[in-house]
């Protein structure tokens, strides 16, 4: 099942495995945080993950719900890895990751067809120096699609009162909130993630936004990845191990 340069990593809390490779972008802590931050309601019937990479978020979510989960990823190599990870974990009846460009989302799915949308989008604008080169750059830089395009795709897919869950760099949080508002979303929950308690600035922001809502935002307490001794905090241990 594995190809040259690939490895199998453990998802400990979910008792699952995932195929990864140094040749393409591997998931990091932000994906785990986003999946953990995502909530499900009794009325939910459909879930889609945009910019799915190797399928990490759909796999993580499948541990917490029996609902069908779609994923969309641009790079065929990552789709192939995701498909094999789905089979490895026996999730092929629940999870599907398709190759596609979400700039063309209207050709792939019907309007207003998902209750829950998750996305870990490219973080860095084209005005910023490339932090990753090669296939990695597509996942982290807005080469193929920018923030407005990602939110526009979510706007097309989301049902009335449906929810969008996103993780992004903290320094772009006000831009994210503004783009969400312009697309008809209102932020319902927001949480900043810090490396540790001595960090002066946050690394990430986790956002839950509701489409066509007048809800006010709950700003949650900060989440710290490490404690003062350099160990994972209890919150992060729960994310990794349950």
């Amino acid at each position: 099942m594995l190809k040259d340069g690939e490895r199998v990593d453990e998802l400990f809390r979910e008792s699952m495995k995932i195929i990864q490779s140094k040749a393409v972008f591997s998931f990091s802590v932000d994906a785990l945080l986003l999946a953990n931050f995502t909530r499900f309601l009794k009325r939910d019937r459909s879930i889609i993950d945009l910019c799915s990479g190797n399928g990490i978020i759909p796999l993580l979510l499948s541990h917490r719900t029996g609902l069908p989960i779609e994923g969309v990823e641009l790079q065929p190599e990552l789709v192939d890895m995701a498909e094999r990870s789905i089979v490895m974990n026996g999730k092929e009846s629940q999870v599907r990751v398709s190759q596609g460009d979400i700039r063309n989302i209207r050709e792939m799915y019907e309007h207003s067809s998902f209750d829950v949308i998750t996305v870990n989008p490219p973080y860095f604008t084209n005005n910023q120096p490339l932090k990753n080169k090669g296939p990695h750059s597509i996942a982290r830089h807005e080469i193929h699609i920018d923030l407005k395009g990602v939110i526009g795709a979510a706007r097309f897919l989301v049902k009335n009162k449906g929810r969008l869950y996103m993780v992004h760099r903290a320094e772009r949080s006000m831009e994210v909130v503004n783009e969400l508002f312009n697309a008809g979303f209102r932020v319902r929950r927001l949480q900043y993630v810090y490396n540790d308690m001595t960090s002066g600035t946050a690394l990430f922001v986790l956002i839950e936004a509701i489409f066509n809502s007048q809800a006010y935002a709950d700003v949650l307490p900060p989440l710290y990845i490490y404690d003062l001794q350099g160990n994972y905090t209890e919150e992060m241990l729960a994310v990794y191990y349950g």
Side-chain angles (χ1 to χ4, degrees):
M1 179 172 284
L2 292 181
K3 298 182 179 180
D4 288 346
E6 293 182 343
R7 68 183 188 275
V8 174
D9 287 346
E10 299 282 342
L11 302 174
F12 293 101
R13 183 175 71 172
E14 293 76 15
S15 298
M16 289 195 283
K17 301 177 186 294
I18 188 167
I19 298 170
Q20 303 222 85
S21 171
K22 291 182 179 180
V24 290
F25 189 78
S26 298
F27 77 86
S28 55
V29 67
D30 50 356
L32 302 176
L33 292 168
L34 176 60
N36 187 71
F37 186 75
T38 300
R39 300 192 295 184
F40 302 111
L41 305 177
K42 289 183 178 180
R43 61 178 171 82
D44 293 337
R45 294 293 179 269
S46 51
I47 304 166
I48 190 167
D49 178 59
L50 305 179
C51 308
S52 287
N54 64 352
I56 177 61
I57 291 176
L59 282 173
L60 293 171
L61 295 181
S62 73
H63 176 71
R64 298 177 46 214
T65 178
L67 294 173
I69 303 172
E70 294 275 335
V72 181
E73 168 55 37
L74 178 66
Q75 299 182 77
E77 309 98 302
L78 286 168
V79 174
D80 175 62
M81 292 169 63
E83 289 175 338
R84 287 181 285 129
S85 291
I86 290 166
V87 172
M88 182 186 298
N89 291 286
K91 294 288 186 176
E92 55 266 45
S93 64
Q94 180 188 7
V95 181
R96 183 182 72 164
V97 175
S98 302
Q99 193 278 327
D101 188 335
I102 63 173
R103 294 176 299 183
N104 304 320
I105 202 71
R106 289 166 175 77
E107 301 170 11
M108 302 174 64
Y109 295 97
E110 294 183 1
H111 184 263
S112 304
S113 51
F114 291 94
D115 298 289
V116 176
I117 301 171
T118 57
V119 62
N120 183 356
Y123 288 158
F124 304 106
T125 69
N126 291 327
N127 295 325
Q128 297 171 279
L130 285 179
K131 296 180 182 293
N132 307 103
K133 296 183 179 180
H136 297 268
S137 63
I138 296 175
R140 277 295 174 254
H141 294 265
E142 294 179 342
I143 294 170
H144 285 280
I145 193 167
D146 60 11
L147 176 63
K148 184 175 182 179
V150 169
I151 293 175
R155 164 67 181 82
F156 176 80
L157 293 172
V158 71
K159 293 181 181 180
N160 188 44
K161 308 299 183 183
R163 305 180 313 287
L164 171 63
Y165 294 90
M166 179 184 290
V167 60
H168 216 295
R169 295 286 296 184
E171 63 262 29
R172 295 187 69 186
S173 57
M174 294 302 100
E175 181 185 355
V176 174
V177 171
N178 184 60
E179 291 290 354
L180 287 168
F181 184 82
N182 289 339
F185 290 91
R186 288 285 289 267
V187 173
R188 182 64 184 86
R189 289 190 304 146
L190 182 147
Q191 185 174 37
Y192 285 99
V193 180
Y194 293 78
N195 187 61
D196 58 48
M197 296 179 185
T198 65
S199 299
T201 57
L203 293 174
F204 306 112
V205 62
L206 296 163
I207 291 176
E208 176 190 77
I210 304 176
F211 180 66
N212 197 19
S213 170
Q214 298 300 315
Y216 289 101
D218 288 336
V219 180
L220 304 180
L223 189 154
Y224 300 102
I225 298 174
Y226 298 102
D227 61 22
L228 296 177
Q229 287 72 46
N231 302 312
Y232 285 128
T233 60
E234 290 186 7
E235 291 88 347
M236 279 308 304
L237 287 172
V239 170
Y240 277 112
Y241 302 107

